[in-house]
Amino acid sequence: MARIRLQSVGKRYPNGFSALENLSLEIEDKAFVVLLGPSGCGKSTTLNLIAGLEDVTSGALYFDEQIMNVVPAHRRDVAMVFQSYALYPHKSVYENIAFGLRMRGHPAADIDRRVKDAARRLELEALLDRRPHQLSGGQRQRVALGRALVRQPAVFLMDEPLSNLDATLRIAMRAEIKQLHQTMQTTFVYVTHDQAEALTLADQIVVMRDGVIQQIGSPEEIYDRPRNTFVASFLGNPPINYLEGMLTEEGEALCFQRGSLSLVLPHALALRLKGQAGRSVKLGLRAEEVDEHSVPRPGETLHGRVSSVLPVGSDQYLGFEAEGKLLFFRVGRDLRHREGENVALSVNVNRLQIFDSGTGDSLLWSGNGA
Amino acid sequence: MTALERAGHRVFLAAASVVFLAYVLAPVAWLASSSVQQEAEITSRPPHWIPQRPTPENFAAIFEAKEKQVTYENRRQGDPATGGYIPSTARNLMPAMWNSLIVAVAVVVLNLLVSVPAAYAMAKIRFIGRSASIYFMLITRVIPDIALVVPFFLFIRKLGLLDHLGSLVITYLAITVPFSVFILVSYFESLPDELDKAARIDGCSRLQTLLLVYVPLAVPSLVAVILFTFLTSWNEFLLALMFTQTPASQTMPIVVASFASDFTISFSFINAAGVLAVVPPVVLAIAFERYIVSGLTAGAVKG
Ligand SMILES: Nc1ncnc2c1ncn2[C@@H]1O[C@H](COP(=O)(O)OP(=O)(O)O)[C@@H](O)[C@H]1O
Ligand SMILES: [Mg+2]
């Protein structure tokens, strides 16, 4: 069991590229932490540092209280599942799963029992004699999981383990991994660029960009209280909409103003924006935070024209022209809007996000407030 | 394409293959055939592809040469049966083949010991100067051997290895290791990095990763390296000519070449020696036959 601590960690590759800078992160024992970010932001690098596959250039890495910077991978009690699965092509499924135990000198009987246990649990029993090239993608994925879990490691690392699977299998495996975490009782660090995966699996999400952590928090925190526009944009489908405008004071109330649009901010938000009236800001409006059923009330109304209707099965996406910008909303499919119609949508003002229009930092949740 | 065209295409390919095979194999066939002919028959015109009076005498001469003293005086007595001439150095052939074999095997083994870890390091460990070292090694192979003969000679003399098999082992390694590393680097690079990472996570040290994961996967490339190294050592002439002086260290190509510079030349005898020289490489090729084609292409995929 292990708590993982990265303290001001930097990673510079031999070619001079600095992939991580001054990264600090604490992962609780038995937590399920997801590193989330676009491709190339340094997620795999972070994972490789934890695994010992790459050396830390600066800073310190601890497992519990022990510094791990120079401990080689084979001396760390970690297991890892790779995106490409990386099964040994010349070994049978059985030997692939058993290899880690053999290398660590477990007695043969113990190896056999553990491999068979893992195989039963992952429904691989019938495949133990096959070679990896005789397996389907989903089966290979399960062998890769088996190879990792059979060792009962202190830290379980996964680098985009599901991204090579088709959509249905991916959802099923998500549930399986979640369950695995619950039964194994070890620390999981999981890398993905898929926000849905992160939101379903994580206790804690770490959003990264260009080697820098943008925000750490529970899925709800990350989704509801994004620290900046990068985090806000990365989660949500379709992505959050932005409108540039001004904060204005109208009597008691604080408003967001843009052209003819005026949204009255609820008291809770207004409190956090004290003294900011007159500032030009960027309003963030999530795709699902409009209500097309309720009758719009003044100060919560968005007027515009429907420019496209895109059914996506359970929902439909609404392309919406308002205040000279094209916004996208997600609405129920029972709604029958036509292209070209003028519509007034009721905005859920309690869920509005306000960002600095220059830096993109949240004026609601950055720093102390979050 | 009509059926007729297709058939024509096939016939053309078959004919072209036959022509090509004949072109490649005719010298070998003549070598084998003439090695069991008498000196008189070998010079007949038109040549006899099938010996009319096959004789084992040339081979017998090689294997019995040890017991015979061939001198200027008795050389014409030669073998009464063939009337051929046995060169005075005939007795050196078997020891020379043995020398060649020792050198080739030593070079193959040492080459693998050096080039396999080197190639793994260059393919999978990112150290400073990695690509520079790969290029540097390849550049050493651009220099023709003839340019290296004198430096090598001075070097070998300083080491006191003149007329010693060690001189050949050292210089052949210098010739073969860069190319072996190059073949293996491109193969190791074609194996995914994640395999390397998985092995290390599974508890392998770097050396264990190499031996337990990479080497088993690289067998076709290793076979290519073994063949290339063995054949290079087995056939090498120039350096062996410089560094060896006595039968103690002379290799097969040197001794066979010396047959041609004897007082009189017996072509059938030389051809018999040639047949023997072909045997070890052929045995090796047959032993590794099923890996050869895949190995030769494996290195070619990348790099
Ligand atoms: N071995 C390497 N040498 C140099 N740069 C690398 C190396 N590995 C990764 N990088 C660079 O570091 C950055 C982060 O890579 P990575 O951690 O793999 O990103 P992610 O997993 O988030 O997609 C990328 O810009 C990538 O190009
Ligand atoms: Mg990655």
Side-chain angles (χ1 to χ4, degrees):
Chain A
M1 310 300 117
R3 185 166 60 104
I4 303 166
R5 195 148 53 91
L6 290 95
Q7 207 172 64
S8 308
V9 164
K11 173 65 189 175
R12 182 182 290 274
Y13 281 109
N15 66 0
F17 182 81
S18 174
L20 298 177
E21 271 169 55
N22 201 13
L23 181 132
S24 292
L25 174 63
E26 224 175 299
I27 298 173
E28 290 303 321
D29 185 24
K30 301 192 179 111
F32 197 130
V33 171
V34 173
L35 307 182
L36 177 67
S39 178
C41 71
K43 310 179 295 288
S44 299
T45 302
T46 311
L47 213 59
N48 288 340
L49 292 179
I50 296 174
L53 296 170
E54 295 281 358
D55 294 328
V56 174
T57 314
S58 61
L61 168 70
Y62 295 92
F63 283 9
D64 293 323
E65 296 314 315
Q66 198 193 348
I67 187 151
M68 300 301 279
N69 284 30
V70 295
V71 179
H74 62 280
R75 302 253 166 72
R76 300 185 188 190
D77 192 10
V78 301
M80 189 154 168
V81 178
F82 298 91
Q83 180 173 1
S84 69
Y85 315 142
L87 303 179
Y88 308 117
H90 59 301
K91 292 182 189 293
S92 66
V93 168
Y94 184 100
E95 285 303 323
N96 262 284
I97 298 176
F99 189 63
L101 297 172
R102 284 202 203 291
M103 291 313 298
R104 286 178 162 76
H106 286 253
D110 179 45
I111 293 177
D112 192 60
R113 185 179 51 75
R114 287 215 210 176
V115 172
K116 298 226 161 104
D117 272 357
R120 191 168 321 120
R121 147 163 220 185
L122 294 165
E123 292 166 34
L124 291 168
E125 284 164 300
L127 307 174
L128 284 175
D129 293 329
R130 296 224 193 144
R131 294 286 177 90
H133 69 91
Q134 297 166 316
L135 301 177
S136 71
Q139 289 166 338
R140 282 180 212 182
Q141 216 283 329
R142 295 212 301 280
V143 176
L145 274 181
R147 181 169 71 178
L149 73 85
V150 76
R151 289 203 357 239
Q152 300 170 350
V155 180
F156 207 109
L157 307 173
M158 298 195 225
D159 194 348
E160 314 214 10
L162 304 185
S163 56
N164 285 347
L165 298 181
D166 57 55
T168 5
L169 208 48
R170 207 178 304 165
I171 306 268
M173 287 309 292
R174 260 188 229 167
E176 199 146 332
I177 287 174
K178 185 107 184 167
Q179 203 187 354
L180 204 62
H181 175 243
Q182 270 146 18
T183 51
M184 281 182 65
Q185 294 286 315
T186 65
T187 312
F188 273 46
V189 186
Y190 186 106
V191 160
T192 184
H193 62 258
D194 180 339
Q195 45 144 339
E197 228 163 87
L199 291 170
T200 19
L201 290 172
D203 301 332
Q204 287 256 299
I205 295 179
V206 179
V207 183
M208 296 178 65
R209 174 196 198 178
D210 295 340
V212 179
I213 293 181
Q214 303 293 303
Q215 187 169 2
I216 305 175
S218 68
E220 298 75 43
E221 276 177 275
I222 298 280
Y223 194 79
D224 295 339
R225 302 206 285 277
R227 284 255 181 100
N228 56 36
T229 49
F230 177 82
V231 177
S233 300
F234 203 76
L235 294 109
N237 196 11
I240 191 167
N241 299 293
Y242 293 111
L243 282 171
E244 306 274 352
M246 292 276 281
L247 287 179
T248 56
E249 237 161 349
E250 315 238 325
E252 290 290 274
L254 191 63
C255 291
F256 171 82
Q257 200 87 45
R258 177 190 168 105
S260 62
L261 173 68
S262 175
L263 297 173
V264 179
L265 302 179
H267 190 62
L269 298 188
L271 267 184
R272 296 183 157 272
L273 296 168
K274 219 173 227 153
Q276 309 270 19
R279 185 164 178 171
S280 70
V281 296
K282 201 184 238 185
L283 177 84
L285 177 56
R286 287 227 180 263
E288 66 278 11
E289 300 298 354
V290 293
D291 189 346
E292 60 290 346
H293 292 297
S294 64
V295 182
R297 286 183 294 178
E300 300 181 3
T301 313
L302 182 62
H303 291 281
R305 196 177 66 88
V306 176
S307 69
S308 59
V309 179
L310 309 168
V312 288
S314 57
D315 297 327
Q316 50 190 348
Y317 293 167
L318 215 58
F320 195 75
E321 273 170 36
E323 301 302 324
K325 279 205 67 165
L326 180 59
L327 312 175
F328 281 93
F329 294 117
R330 192 168 73 220
V331 297
R333 73 171 162 189
D334 45 338
L335 204 70
R336 294 265 174 263
H337 286 308
R338 295 238 188 74
E339 284 175 31
E341 271 178 358
N342 284 313
V343 179
L345 295 174
S346 164
V347 174
N348 182 354
V349 288
N350 291 305
R351 307 294 295 265
L352 290 178
Q353 306 290 341
I354 307 281
F355 302 98
D356 182 286
S357 57
T359 63
D361 287 338
S362 175
L363 298 178
L364 298 170
W365 318 115
S366 42
N368 48 12
Chain B
M1 210 187 270
T2 69
L4 195 66
E5 273 174 341
R6 230 182 345 253
H9 190 66
R10 287 237 181 92
V11 169
F12 173 78
L13 278 183
S17 308
V18 167
V19 170
F20 181 72
L21 272 183
Y23 180 76
V24 171
L25 291 181
V28 182
W30 177 242
L31 178 74
S33 164
S34 61
S35 71
V36 292
Q37 293 180 16
Q38 294 183 340
E39 195 66 14
E41 190 176 356
I42 201 176
T43 49
S44 60
R45 282 205 287 173
H48 297 169
W49 284 91
I50 312 283
Q52 282 171 350
R53 285 191 295 142
T55 165
E57 286 304 324
N58 290 314
F59 291 97
I62 291 171
F63 290 111
E64 287 163 13
K66 269 212 163 60
E67 286 81 53
K68 277 187 192 160
Q69 264 294 354
V70 184
T71 63
Y72 185 78
E73 283 71 33
N74 70 5
R75 77 197 147 85
R76 282 183 184 281
Q77 295 158 17
D79 284 282
T82 63
Y85 308 106
I86 303 302
S88 58
T89 46
R91 58 191 309 208
N92 295 338
L93 186 64
M94 289 318 286
M97 298 255 304
W98 186 239
N99 282 343
S100 283
L101 196 66
I102 291 172
V103 169
V105 169
V107 170
V108 166
V109 170
L110 293 174
N111 181 301
L112 289 179
L113 285 181
V114 175
S115 60
V116 170
Y120 171 74
M122 288 179 186
K124 294 298 170 197
I125 302 176
R126 300 193 192 275
F127 55 90
I128 293 167
R130 170 175 163 268
S131 41
S133 52
I134 296 178
Y135 285 123
F136 177 74
M137 278 199 340
L138 282 176
I139 283 171
T140 64
R141 289 290 73 226
V142 175
I143 304 168
D145 289 345
I146 190 74
L148 294 173
V149 161
V150 171
F152 269 159
F153 184 84
L154 297 175
F155 180 72
I156 292 298
R157 195 177 58 184
K158 267 273 188 317
L159 287 177
L161 285 176
L162 282 181
D163 203 23
H164 189 284
L165 291 183
S167 65
L168 301 181
V169 174
I170 290 177
T171 47
Y172 294 178
L173 281 173
I175 293 173
T176 55
V177 163
F179 192 65
S180 306
V181 170
F182 179 67
I183 293 179
L184 291 172
V185 163
S186 26
Y187 186 71
F188 286 161
E189 274 181 347
S190 75
L191 296 173
D193 279 356
E194 291 196 341
L195 208 55
D196 180 63
K197 294 180 175 174
R200 286 194 288 139
I201 295 269
D202 265 344
C204 292
S205 64
R206 287 283 193 183
L207 188 63
Q208 286 170 321
T209 305
L210 173 61
L211 294 179
L212 299 177
V213 177
Y214 279 78
V215 166
L217 289 173
V219 167
S221 295
L222 291 175
V223 166
V225 166
I226 290 171
L227 283 174
F228 158 76
T229 309
F230 186 91
L231 292 179
T232 304
S233 313
W234 185 257
N235 295 330
E236 205 287 328
F237 183 76
L238 183 61
L239 297 172
L241 189 65
M242 298 302 294
F243 303 152
T244 66
Q245 282 140 15
T246 68
S249 68
Q250 278 175 336
T251 52
M252 180 275 300
I254 304 304
V255 169
V256 172
S258 76
F259 295 157
S261 54
D262 209 82
F263 320 106
T264 47
I265 300 173
S266 166
F267 287 111
S268 60
F269 177 81
I270 291 176
N271 287 349
V275 167
L276 291 180
V278 170
V279 170
V282 167
V283 168
L284 198 67
I286 291 172
F288 288 135
E289 183 242 333
R290 76 192 175 96
Y291 299 109
I292 288 177
V293 174
S294 58
L296 294 180
T297 50
V301 175
K302 246 185 119 197

